[in-house]
Amino acid sequence: MDKILEGLVMSSHPLNLKKMIVKKVVESAENSITEEQCKAMFALTTRLILEGEDHFQKQVGHQVLEAYARYHRSEFENFFNKNFVLSLLQEGYRSVDHADVAVLDYIQSGLKLIMSCPSVLDLFSILQVEVLRIVCERPKPVLCAKLSELLTNFVQCVPKGKLSVAFCQQLVRTIGHLQCISTQEKELREYVSQVTKVSNLLQNIWKAEPCTLLPSLQEVFAIISSTDASFEPSVALASLVQHIPLQMITVLIRSLTTDPNVKDASMTKALCRMIDWLSWPLAQHVETWVIALLKGLAAVQKFTILIDVTLLKIELVFNRLSFPLVRPGALAVLSHMLLSFQHSPEAFHLIVPHIVSLVQSLKSDGLPSSIAFLVQFTELMHCMIYHYSGFPDLYEPILEAIKELPKPDEEKIKLILSQSAWTSQSTSLASCLSRLSGKSETGKTGLINLGNTCYMNSVIQALFMATDFRRHVLSLNLNGCNSLMKKLQHLFAFLGHTQREAYAPQIFFEASRPPWFTPRSQQDCSEYLRFILDRLHEEEKSIKALSLLQPSENMITDSSFHESNSKIQPFSEARYKNSIKEDKTLIEKMFGGMLLTNICCLNCKSTSQKEEAFTDLSLAFCPSSSRMSVKGTLCSSKEKNACMVQLDTDAVSLTAESDLCNAKREATDCEVGLNIDMHNVVPSAFNSVKNTSDLCRVPSNSSRPVKSGKESPLSVTDLLSYFLAPEILDGDNRYHCEKCDSLQKAEKTMQITDDPEYLILTLLRFSYDPKCHVRRKILDNVSLPLVLELPVKRATSSSAQAAGNWAVEMEFHIGENLAKKLKPSGTEDICTQLVPYVLSSIVVHSGISSESGHYYSYARNVAGSGSSGQLCHQPNALTGGSHQGHFLADETPISVVGKERDSREVAQEWFLFNDSRVTFTSFQSVQNITSRFPKDTAYVLLYKRQNSKSCDVSSNSANGLWVNGDPPLQKELMDAITKDNKLYLQEQELNARTRALQAASASCYFRPNGFDDNDPPGSCGPAGGGGSSSGSGFSTISRLVF
């Protein structure tokens, strides 16, 4: 019969026919058959249940097994024995793993069939041990729920005696590990249902054996009070709170708050995690326990914990008000936190930016529950505004939003405030002055704003996050040297190792500030970046020159890193020529690249070439009329001129100065369009070579003006392709050909010949309107690719021959005719190599003017790794457009490719550096910053070259002393950091002792947390950015943290 059944379920017969035959098989179960036939049938049905390919096979297995077990009970008892059950639980069944829910489901079905048999007692004893083992293995939610279902239906399987206490404790720990990574409603509902089954099992055990309750609660507190940063307990523990008798609150809270073994850090963690439980949808009485613990801590005057927890969690509690299911509990906790935190407006002002939007949202609901909530919430707001008067700019929008709701009278407000204050806190609480706190959860250190120094802070943080550059700087031996590099090394060391939340870079600022920068005035971060890179380069060259004369004296060495393969970036002709013979400076190794410009006379076909060094590329915005030109046609000089001119005070744009010519170029070649997926573009990094100031100059022959268009969003790939696109020099921009000895129509192309280790890109957003005589900022949103493949032209002949053929001109001559700077030369066979770069950092400018606003940066850790993936394209290999325009024979136009890498790269952590504040941020926030805040635009971008041999530093960490890949600090630096960290701890202790005196004597002066910059015109104050102008500052949650 088993063979017939097996053949039937595996056959392709119609389902109705198969069901009829299965019915006959079930009816035949009452017939007498041999023990071997029974065993074969039980084996087949077991296999169908556990390994069935579809629901029909599993259903047939259950039906037939139940029928045959009912009529042949003794045979099934022999089959479903303790050895078989034990093997299922420990080894699984054939291809089915022992942790599969199907195993527990099958065992539960088997127990139902032999409940009246004596052998079931042996199975219960086995299961009492095995379920404890399973729980200790931390099963997933679905398996844990199935196990709880089995134990609920068969309470005889629940461990007894001492095992019951251990089982409850382990079950609590398992709940602490139950996580749900999905955000879909269906999966979330299933997860909540699974957790509820487990918590209900615990409740049943607590009721049956009360001795297990207290050990279970002790285990809960041990989990939530753990300070182990590697494990974050699941919020599913909130499901247990509703099962704890409320009568135990007083005893338990008193025991916790007075236990000397419970450290403040552990209590803070526990309270914070209990507040997180407010988000659990089905939990009851969470707010009761949280408020009880807050009151208990106030009773024993542990105000430091209360202050820390309130400031950490007040915004989270407020955000829970948006969810109707948990709104009542969240409001109760929020009211207690705000009304008891009466020594400072700091907590209340953290939620002020979000109040109006919440009120408007609830008003639009029109639901009775929302209106009732608004009445209570309005009363709370009036109490807080009454208590912390003196901030009309902050409170006026709130009062306007709640003006139609009932307002409590003054007596009621005073009564509420008097009843809610922390007991005996008037002389022992912290003052309203800023409190010292430890480093943020990111592990990164902020930089204190010294007065409109956000331009420096954002650049320094971006350079610090350039992993390979930072490691090189930290590995330099600079003992006895007082150079700018020494001060940068000192700053990097403190950023990496100080315990302070933010560090004051006063020494580095004074040493690195350009002489023409007015102190405490806003400056251009790209100009500052160029200045310090040039200073660092010049200093190292000078020190190396002196070391040749005085070998015994101090010199910059880098013993920890092997020579970089990056191309150099000289800053002058002499410097470049010297660098050929001497070692490259660190700046040349890290940021140096080369740009080759070709200019071909379209009359005589003669070609001139010029090679220039760069540390960054300044990218102008494409005029709307030339957007199509960038993608498929030549750009004429008229198309690249518009009503707005890029600001440039120090040097001509590389697009204007890099004019070279190639004799092999012909007019019949075609240009390749961009290969860009606009749905897969993301933020880029730094880019700037120029200063922006009050002076305006039109670069000769190739100014790249911008007039914003609304057709489609630009990307960095568009701007870079525009930068490298061929250009026809015609009309007023005609080229003086030495061979023709006259002005002629010509074609100009630019090619990157040496790729830097770090590619810095500056988006030229500040432009001058010659018609209106005003400076404007281009606010166009620019999408930024996470991975940028930069086309680099490689010479196929020897580099020596190339160097001999190419004339190198390094000096910038503003206004000089291009023909005087270019020298005819031979040509070489070249190929296009796509060099992949990954986005490392973005400096964002918030504001509408170069003289005002605010800078902050996004960054992540990126280091070179992986195998090379470069592509080499022979002439015309990139051709993909129609034959139009004028190109030379053996060369194709350059196309920049921006694309996404796999999700593992995208998921890497990003950080937001906003002066003293450092927070985690999502990559989506990096992408959407301009769309959310129109005045906040990417300005300087930093890309890291992939597959760089010079970046592989793993071999240098063999000594085991490296921390997070960074080299060990020299003794001088380590001593300085240790000394400062000790000073910081002393400051913390002194601050705690003086809080009572400050609260009693100091006037309550408040400045929003994180508001670092000063407020004169042109500063980093609120008016400069795209956020609220209510005075809440740039560091508030509503401003930049999403």
Side-chain angles (χ1 to χ4, degrees):
M1 185 63 73
D2 61 293
K3 298 297 183 183
I4 297 174
L5 180 62
E6 183 177 11
L8 174 68
V9 297
M10 300 297 179
S11 70
S12 59
H13 294 304
L15 184 61
N16 290 335
L17 177 61
K18 290 197 283 188
K19 287 183 177 180
M20 289 178 58
I21 299 176
V22 168
K23 184 178 181 181
K24 296 294 184 181
V25 173
V26 171
E27 291 174 352
S28 68
E30 58 185 274
N31 298 334
S32 177
I33 57 176
T34 65
E35 183 176 353
E36 288 300 322
Q37 290 176 322
C38 280
K39 184 176 180 181
M41 185 61 74
F42 293 145
L44 172 62
T45 53
T46 299
R47 189 166 72 252
L48 290 176
I49 293 172
L50 294 176
E51 294 186 315
E53 297 178 356
D54 51 37
H55 177 71
F56 174 73
Q57 292 185 10
K58 294 178 182 292
Q59 186 181 30
V60 169
H62 278 291
Q63 290 177 353
V64 177
L65 176 65
E66 183 179 351
Y68 274 80
R70 185 186 306 116
Y71 290 103
H72 307 279
R73 194 170 301 275
S74 60
E75 287 82 357
F76 181 69
E77 186 178 3
N78 292 333
F79 176 80
F80 195 73
N81 57 52
K82 62 179 182 180
N83 292 330
F84 178 61
V85 172
L86 194 62
S87 68
L88 286 176
L89 292 172
Q90 294 182 352
E91 302 172 9
Y93 180 84
R94 294 173 52 145
S95 63
V96 180
D97 188 73
H98 71 282
D100 196 308
V101 293
V103 171
L104 290 180
D105 193 47
Y106 173 78
I107 291 174
Q108 189 171 185
S109 299
L111 289 176
K112 291 178 181 178
L113 296 174
I114 63 168
M115 274 298 293
S116 60
C117 300
S119 62
V120 74
L121 298 178
D122 293 334
L123 296 180
F124 288 158
S125 62
I126 290 175
L127 287 170
Q128 287 177 5
V129 176
E130 285 300 306
V131 295
L132 178 58
R133 178 188 61 79
I134 294 174
V135 169
C136 290
E137 291 177 352
R138 307 290 176 255
K140 294 182 178 179
V142 60
L143 182 61
C144 199
K146 182 60 69 174
L147 180 65
S148 300
E149 181 182 326
L150 186 150
L151 296 180
T152 300
N153 294 332
F154 298 95
V155 293
Q156 302 91 333
C157 299
V158 176
K160 300 294 188 294
K162 293 182 179 179
L163 287 180
S164 65
V165 174
F167 178 76
C168 289
Q169 290 176 322
Q170 291 300 325
L171 195 56
V172 167
R173 286 204 167 271
T174 297
I175 294 175
H177 282 78
L178 299 181
Q179 303 285 353
C180 180
I181 59 176
S182 175
T183 58
Q184 300 298 319
E185 182 179 356
K186 181 180 179 181
E187 285 78 4
L188 289 174
R189 288 183 179 274
E190 290 178 357
Y191 171 68
V192 172
S193 175
Q194 292 160 357
V195 172
T196 302
K197 290 181 180 180
V198 182
S199 64
N200 288 339
L201 172 64
L202 264 177
Q203 180 191 22
N204 295 335
I205 298 176
W206 290 345
K207 288 181 178 179
E209 299 187 53
C211 63
T212 61
L213 176 57
L214 189 57
S216 299
L217 297 182
Q218 291 172 340
E219 195 67 29
V220 172
F221 184 77
I223 294 171
I224 64 175
S225 62
S226 172
T227 57
D228 183 6
S230 63
F231 170 66
E232 182 62 29
S234 170
V235 73
L237 287 169
S239 62
L240 300 178
V241 175
Q242 59 190 326
H243 303 311
I244 305 174
L246 293 178
Q247 298 87 335
M248 299 182 65
I249 286 183
T250 304
V251 177
L252 290 176
I253 296 300
R254 183 182 297 116
S255 174
L256 289 175
T257 55
T258 58
D259 187 351
N261 295 320
V262 179
K263 304 300 181 184
D264 286 358
S266 298
M267 181 62 73
T268 301
K269 278 286 186 184
L271 185 52
C272 287
R273 285 163 176 162
M274 287 179 67
I275 292 174
D276 291 339
W277 292 352
L278 289 170
S279 60
W280 187 256
L282 301 181
Q284 300 176 13
H285 312 309
V286 172
E287 70 279 5
T288 305
W289 283 92
V290 170
I291 293 173
L293 186 53
L294 291 171
K295 290 181 176 179
L297 291 170
V300 295
Q301 299 186 359
K302 292 189 176 181
F303 302 120
T304 301
I305 297 176
L306 293 171
I307 294 171
D308 290 340
V309 171
T310 300
L311 296 178
L312 281 171
K313 293 296 179 180
I314 192 74
E315 289 168 295
L316 182 142
V317 176
F318 182 85
N319 290 335
R320 297 284 79 81
L321 298 178
S322 300
F323 303 96
L325 205 58
V326 298
R327 186 178 294 157
L331 179 61
V333 175
L334 180 71
S335 299
H336 180 83
M337 292 176 116
L338 289 177
L339 293 172
S340 60
F341 198 93
Q342 294 187 15
H343 66 286
S344 165
E346 191 173 0
F348 178 50
H349 284 188
L350 285 174
I351 67 169
V352 161
H354 318 295
I355 292 174
V356 173
S357 60
L358 175 67
V359 172
Q360 292 174 345
S361 174
L362 293 174
K363 280 183 177 180
S364 63
D365 283 350
L367 299 175
S369 60
S370 298
I371 301 302
F373 164 79
L374 280 176
V375 172
Q376 301 177 56
F377 184 74
T378 298
E379 183 178 276
L380 175 63
M381 293 300 100
H382 281 296
C383 289
M384 302 312 298
I385 292 173
Y386 175 86
H387 188 62
Y388 298 120
S389 59
F391 301 92
D393 56 328
L394 295 179
Y395 300 155
E396 283 178 1
I398 299 174
L399 294 174
E400 180 65 23
I402 62 177
K403 65 181 181 181
E404 300 172 356
L405 296 165
K407 178 181 178 180
D409 58 54
E410 186 175 350
E411 292 301 320
K412 184 176 183 180
I413 291 176
K414 290 180 178 179
L415 178 63
I416 293 173
L417 290 171
S418 63
Q419 292 176 344
S420 305
W422 286 331
T423 305
S424 305
Q425 65 180 8
S426 58
T427 59
S428 58
L429 290 180
S431 70
C432 301
L433 300 177
S434 299
R435 298 167 48 252
L436 290 173
S437 57
K439 190 175 291 189
S440 72
E441 61 181 356
T442 64
K444 303 297 181 183
T445 303
L447 288 171
I448 295 174
N449 195 300
L450 306 175
N452 293 313
T453 59
C454 59
Y455 67 89
M456 175 187 70
N457 291 348
S458 58
V459 165
I460 293 301
Q461 293 286 19
L463 291 177
F464 177 78
M465 293 297 287
T467 305
D468 295 317
F469 176 64
R470 179 183 72 246
R471 291 173 180 173
H472 277 277
V473 171
L474 291 176
S475 68
L476 294 173
N477 180 12
L478 301 172
N479 290 333
C481 179
N482 192 32
S483 64
L484 183 62
M485 182 67 78
K486 174 67 174 179
K487 294 178 174 62
L488 180 64
Q489 184 186 64
H490 186 275
L491 178 55
F492 278 5
F494 270 79
L495 285 177
H497 297 275
T498 184
Q499 294 183 9
R500 297 180 183 274
E501 180 182 22
Y503 180 74
Q506 185 69 46
I507 296 176
F508 185 81
F509 171 68
E510 293 174 353
S512 65
R513 179 176 61 84
W516 59 89
F517 276 18
T518 304
R520 306 188 69 83
S521 295
Q522 184 61 280
Q523 305 293 341
D524 182 6
C525 75
S526 66
E527 183 179 4
Y528 176 77
L529 174 60
R530 266 195 330 278
F531 177 79
I532 62 173
L533 291 181
D534 185 59
R535 274 279 307 277
L536 293 171
H537 172 83
E538 291 287 356
E539 282 190 355
E540 184 174 348
K541 297 286 285 186
S542 299
I543 292 174
K544 287 184 176 181
L546 290 175
S547 67
L548 295 177
L549 301 176
Q550 302 173 347
S552 61
E553 295 194 3
N554 295 321
M555 57 180 289
I556 298 181
T557 61
D558 183 356
S559 58
S560 301
F561 290 86
H562 47 74
E563 187 69 21
S564 169
N565 291 330
S566 302
K567 301 300 179 180
I568 66 171
Q569 184 254 320
F571 302 96
S572 66
E573 181 177 2
R575 188 181 311 164
Y576 174 70
K577 292 179 178 178
N578 290 335
S579 66
I580 296 176
K581 301 177 181 180
E582 302 175 7
D583 292 338
K584 302 172 185 176
T585 67
L586 179 57
I587 301 305
E588 289 174 322
K589 294 175 185 178
M590 293 288 102
F591 304 102
M594 298 297 294
L595 191 68
L596 177 69
T597 302
N598 295 324
I599 295 185
C600 177
C601 175
L602 297 181
N603 182 46
C604 67
K605 304 301 182 182
S606 64
T607 302
S608 294
Q609 294 182 336
K610 176 170 173 261
E611 192 171 27
E612 296 173 305
F614 68 88
T615 51
D616 62 332
L617 300 178
S618 297
L619 305 183
F621 279 68
C622 321
S624 57
S625 61
S626 66
R627 296 264 179 100
M628 293 302 296
S629 297
V630 176
K631 298 187 177 183
T633 64
L634 284 172
C635 297
S636 69
S637 59
K638 292 183 179 179
E639 286 177 324
K640 292 191 175 182
N641 290 327
C643 66
M644 305 186 75
V645 179
Q646 303 294 329
L647 274 176
D648 184 7
T649 61
D650 285 352
V652 179
S653 170
L654 289 176
T655 61
E657 297 173 340
S658 304
D659 300 337
L660 295 153
C661 200
N662 188 331
K664 289 188 177 182
R665 195 77 184 264
E666 293 182 356
T668 57
D669 284 2
C670 60
E671 182 174 7
V672 179
L674 290 175
N675 179 18
I676 304 171
D677 183 356
M678 291 308 295
H679 297 286
N680 292 327
V681 289
V682 295
S684 311
F686 286 71
N687 58 53
S688 144
V689 186
K690 308 183 177 104
N691 298 338
T692 54
S693 72
D694 295 348
L695 300 178
C696 174
R697 181 180 48 72
V698 181
S700 61
N701 295 341
S702 63
S703 63
R704 304 230 181 210
V706 176
K707 191 166 185 174
S708 299
K710 299 183 179 179
E711 299 86 350
S712 61
L714 285 171
S715 69
V716 169
T717 51
D718 290 328
L719 302 186
L720 193 50
S721 294
Y722 179 64
F723 176 85
L724 297 172
E727 178 183 359
I728 296 298
L729 304 179
D730 197 7
D732 294 339
N733 292 327
R734 284 182 300 170
Y735 163 67
H736 185 276
C737 177
E738 292 184 353
K739 184 175 181 180
C740 299
D741 195 23
S742 62
L743 294 175
Q744 295 292 336
K745 185 177 180 180
E747 180 195 73
K748 184 181 73 172
T749 59
M750 290 189 296
Q751 305 155 358
I752 297 173
T753 57
D754 276 353
D755 45 301
E757 186 71 36
Y758 285 96
L759 175 65
I760 301 177
L761 305 175
T762 300
L763 309 187
L764 296 178
R765 290 191 174 275
F766 302 113
S767 55
Y768 181 75
D769 187 343
K771 293 183 179 179
C772 303
H773 302 288
V774 295
R775 289 180 300 275
R776 301 186 187 278
K777 179 181 177 182
I778 301 171
L779 297 174
D780 288 8
N781 190 8
V782 177
S783 58
L784 311 165
L786 178 64
V787 178
L788 184 73
E789 290 187 338
L790 186 70
V792 179
K793 295 291 184 178
R794 306 290 194 193
T796 57
S797 61
S798 66
S799 60
Q801 179 184 356
N805 289 339
W806 292 349
V808 178
E809 290 288 343
M810 303 310 306
E811 307 249 351
F812 296 148
H813 303 288
I814 301 175
E816 182 180 356
N817 191 292
L818 286 175
K820 298 179 181 179
K821 299 192 296 177
L822 304 177
K823 300 178 182 179
S825 63
T827 60
E828 311 212 9
D829 294 333
I830 58 176
C831 67
T832 299
Q833 193 174 43
L834 297 181
V835 180
Y837 281 83
V838 293
L839 184 60
S840 173
S841 305
I842 307 103
V843 176
V844 176
H845 178 263
S846 177
I848 59 175
S849 168
S850 61
E851 289 81 26
S852 65
H854 180 59
Y855 290 103
Y856 56 93
S857 56
Y858 292 98
R860 61 172 177 159
N861 290 308
V862 176
S865 62
S867 60
S868 177
Q870 297 172 334
L871 303 174
C872 187
H873 298 271
Q874 296 300 329
N876 292 329
L878 292 175
T879 302
S882 58
H883 290 269
Q884 52 187 331
H886 302 278
F887 286 81
L888 301 180
D890 292 329
E891 204 162 21
T892 56
I894 295 173
S895 176
V896 183
V897 180
K899 67 178 183 179
E900 296 276 3
R901 283 291 191 255
D902 58 48
S903 58
R904 289 174 297 178
E905 290 187 56
V906 177
Q908 290 180 348
E909 284 182 342
W910 283 83
F911 303 94
L912 171 59
F913 296 91
N914 198 335
D915 286 336
S916 59
R917 178 174 182 162
V918 186
T919 56
F920 286 120
T921 188
S922 66
F923 190 69
Q924 184 179 7
S925 298
V926 181
Q927 289 177 283
N928 297 335
I929 184 64
T930 303
S931 61
R932 296 175 68 93
F933 299 98
K935 297 179 184 177
D936 294 24
T937 54
Y939 183 36
V940 179
L941 315 173
L942 188 65
Y943 277 91
K944 172 69 176 68
R945 186 176 62 195
Q946 281 187 319
N947 314 320
S948 172
K949 296 179 181 180
S950 66
C951 301
D952 184 7
V953 296
S954 58
S955 61
N956 297 313
S957 58
N959 56 15
L961 297 177
W962 290 45
V963 179
N964 296 324
D966 285 351
L969 297 182
Q970 299 170 29
K971 185 177 184 302
E972 178 186 358
L973 283 175
M974 201 67 251
D975 290 346
I977 293 172
T978 301
K979 180 179 179 180
D980 185 73
N981 283 339
K982 289 181 178 179
L983 176 62
Y984 168 72
L985 295 177
Q986 293 171 358
E987 292 171 354
Q988 290 282 68
E989 182 178 356
L990 178 62
N991 181 70
R993 291 187 177 187
T994 56
R995 285 176 185 172
L997 296 176
Q998 291 175 346
S1001 60
S1003 59
C1004 194
Y1005 172 77
F1006 173 73
R1007 190 170 181 82
N1009 183 35
F1011 192 104
D1012 300 311
D1013 283 321
N1014 296 315
D1015 293 342
S1019 76
C1020 306
S1028 170
S1029 60
S1030 62
S1032 58
F1034 281 88
S1035 302
T1036 57
I1037 291 295
S1038 65
R1039 176 65 183 83
L1040 283 175
V1041 181
F1042 320 120

